[in-house]
Amino acid sequence: MKRLFCMILSGLLLFGVACTAAPVSPDPETRPTEPSTDAPVDVEQPTDAPVLTGCADYADFANALAAKLVDGTANRNLSPISVYLALAMATDGANGQTQAELLSVLGCETLEELRGVCAAMLETLSIDQDGSTLDLHDSLWMADEIDGAPVAFRDAYLGSLADVYRSEAHTVAFGTQSASEQIAAWITEHTRGKIEISPEALAFDPSTVAVLINTIYLKDAWAEAFNEEAIKPDLFHSVDQDFTVDYLCRKDRNARITKGDGFLRYRLYLRNIGSMVFVLPDEGTPLSDLLGSAQNIHTLLSDGEELSADVDVMLPKFKFQDKMELSGILAAMGLGTAFSNAADFSGICDQSCRFDRVIQESYIGVDENGVEAAAYTMVSMRTTSIQTQQLPEIDFHLTRPFLYAIESYDGTLLFIGTVTEPSPSVIEN
């Protein structure tokens, strides 16, 4: 049941379409009894598929994150699992209050539990068969030096990232064009070139100590293909205007559809990875009214009455790229210490560091062939600034006799004297 919940969750989160669960076979009653000319492909889950543990806790995180970012007013494409794995890698090197906050937000009580959840995710969510791909990659990018001093990364941390997260490790000189180019090339390779990386994402300060990156790439065909001849233009009613788009059309006979409070929910299955869930607000109900909280997300994805019906499907073709700055959102969710000078990531390296920024850029495309989506999440960490003490203000007014001296750069006294009667002011014509 937990695995099914996670799969449903990922369906709505646009990019997380089927990224949080192993392939799940549809209930035979949900499939059309009168299939189109292209027969549905069997999507039975392999009996030896690993069980994804800790999924309910991940779902809570994904719901909470989605509630803050997906508001129904604009195109959004979020991969919560990519954020989860990037933060988990940072958690592995955190200590004290910093680690406690990260574990709490990620829904785990211990670091070992989190490692187990992430290892299971990476094992389960690896699919490459029959033209279907679900691929996750992690990497650590390490500063070679800070202010001329070498940075020593902990062997235990590097070992854990390699063993649990299958992470690559690279040493670069942050603040140089070479570092940005290497990171961009790695992201591009593992997202199949689908994301146009923004220049600001690659603008690293020389005080950057480490950058943690997760990438995810998904491509799968519909289990029951849309007929190319059944693509037709029709109006789409956005918040501000109506415009014409191409719709994928078909009729699913004797299918299962869910009626909720103010919405309908329907699932389209993919060939090997899972399914894509769509939630349609009732006419006259703005999508934004149904969102706004983690509980609302859960309701949209889980609640309602399941009905049997002939479902006439009209799915608009769409594709877009998205970018999200997550730092403020994550701090508000409970990671304030990680972004402050009180952060403790001493398990990573010998440099005191904190979160600098967390960003995600992504792509999604849906057409008659299926769905293709990609994202990367980047956690950038920089040296912790030195806390300065507030000093008292002191007046230094040379309004009485005083001593002066002139010294060279090496401290040699060149002149010394006193001023007891300054020169009177002279007003020049």
Side-chain angles (χ1 to χ4, degrees):
M1 187 66 185
K2 287 183 177 179
R3 191 184 307 115
L4 178 60
F5 175 74
C6 286
M7 187 196 71
I8 295 173
L9 165 73
S10 57
L12 178 68
L13 298 182
L14 294 184
F15 174 78
V17 182
C19 305
T20 58
V24 177
S25 60
D27 184 322
E29 294 185 42
T30 65
R31 288 170 147 182
T33 55
E34 299 178 19
S36 63
T37 8
D38 297 314
V41 178
D42 189 3
V43 291
E44 288 292 331
Q45 177 178 329
T47 55
D48 58 349
V51 176
L52 185 57
T53 60
C55 195
D57 293 326
Y58 163 70
D60 290 341
F61 168 83
N63 280 345
L65 187 64
K68 293 182 177 296
L69 293 166
V70 180
D71 62 7
T73 61
N75 285 347
R76 293 268 75 172
N77 184 38
L78 170 68
S79 174
I81 195 168
S82 181
V83 180
Y84 191 91
L85 288 168
L87 292 177
M89 286 194 289
T91 308
D92 213 291
N95 289 303
Q97 180 66 19
T98 307
Q99 185 188 88
E101 290 179 2
L102 280 159
L103 287 172
S104 177
V105 168
L106 297 177
C108 293
E109 293 185 1
T110 67
L111 185 58
E112 285 305 315
E113 181 187 353
L114 178 62
R115 287 170 175 167
V117 169
C118 293
M121 283 179 170
L122 292 167
E123 177 68 21
T124 304
L125 303 176
S126 178
I127 297 173
D128 185 8
Q129 62 183 57
D130 302 328
S132 303
T133 302
L134 179 55
D135 198 18
L136 290 148
H137 287 274
D138 295 311
S139 64
L140 166 67
W141 301 80
M142 305 174 289
D144 53 358
E145 63 177 28
I146 297 290
D147 294 331
V151 181
F153 283 78
R154 313 291 187 200
D155 289 340
Y157 181 67
L158 298 178
S160 183
L161 257 60
D163 294 342
V164 177
Y165 300 93
R166 310 175 185 183
S167 175
E168 301 176 24
H170 304 271
T171 300
V172 293
F174 289 110
T176 66
Q177 183 175 350
S178 174
S180 298
E181 289 175 348
Q182 290 179 65
I183 291 174
W186 188 89
I187 293 172
T188 298
E189 176 186 356
H190 293 296
T191 55
R192 310 300 200 274
K194 300 307 297 184
I195 299 172
E196 184 177 345
I197 306 170
S198 62
E200 56 269 26
L202 301 171
F204 300 105
D205 190 274
S207 64
T208 301
V209 175
V211 170
L212 296 162
I213 302 175
N214 169 271
T215 61
I216 182 169
Y217 175 80
L218 178 154
K219 186 174 184 179
D220 205 2
W222 302 115
E224 183 179 353
F226 284 88
N227 191 327
E228 290 186 16
E229 285 71 35
I231 299 174
K232 67 176 184 180
D234 209 328
L235 286 179
F236 186 88
H237 309 285
S238 70
V239 176
D240 300 320
Q241 61 178 328
D242 295 346
F243 51 91
T244 302
V245 301
D246 285 335
Y247 283 91
L248 312 175
C249 303
R250 78 177 192 214
K251 182 166 288 188
D252 292 345
R253 306 287 185 182
N254 191 25
R256 294 289 183 84
I257 189 168
T258 300
K259 177 71 176 78
D261 184 10
F263 66 91
L264 287 173
R265 182 174 67 244
Y266 192 59
R267 181 189 309 277
L268 296 180
Y269 286 94
L270 298 169
R271 187 183 299 271
N272 289 301
I273 291 176
S275 64
M276 192 166 184
V277 175
F278 300 90
V279 174
L280 177 68
D282 290 349
E283 191 169 355
T285 300
L287 176 58
S288 56
D289 288 358
L290 299 179
L291 299 166
S293 73
Q295 180 57 47
N296 288 357
I297 297 287
H298 173 80
T299 297
L300 292 173
L301 297 173
S302 303
D303 291 354
E305 179 187 1
E306 193 173 74
L307 308 171
S308 294
D310 293 341
V311 180
D312 191 62
V313 179
M314 288 182 61
L315 169 63
K317 296 171 64 172
F318 63 90
K319 64 178 179 179
F320 61 88
Q321 181 160 320
D322 201 1
K323 176 184 177 182
M324 303 182 189
E325 166 57 57
L326 305 177
S327 301
I329 296 294
L330 293 172
M333 288 176 64
L335 300 186
T337 301
F339 288 94
S340 74
N341 286 335
D344 183 355
F345 289 103
S346 54
I348 294 181
C349 63
D350 61 352
Q351 287 279 336
S352 177
C353 57
R354 62 172 177 84
F355 281 2
D356 181 25
R357 55 192 175 127
V358 180
I359 63 172
Q360 182 177 109
E361 294 188 301
S362 61
Y363 165 86
I364 187 167
V366 172
D367 62 17
E368 65 274 18
N369 299 312
V371 58
E372 185 176 25
Y376 77 86
T377 303
M378 178 188 296
V379 178
S380 177
M381 308 181 74
R382 63 180 300 167
T383 53
T384 302
S385 59
I386 300 174
Q387 295 277 19
T388 58
Q389 182 180 0
Q390 185 67 38
L391 299 177
E393 293 186 8
I394 298 176
D395 293 335
F396 184 66
H397 301 165
L398 295 172
T399 57
R400 50 190 178 273
F402 59 89
L403 175 73
Y404 71 87
I406 301 175
E407 298 179 339
S408 65
Y409 288 118
D410 63 1
T412 301
L413 184 61
L414 302 179
F415 296 89
I416 187 171
T418 59
V419 174
T420 59
E421 295 181 4
S423 301
S425 298
V426 176
I427 300 177
E428 297 182 1
N429 294 325

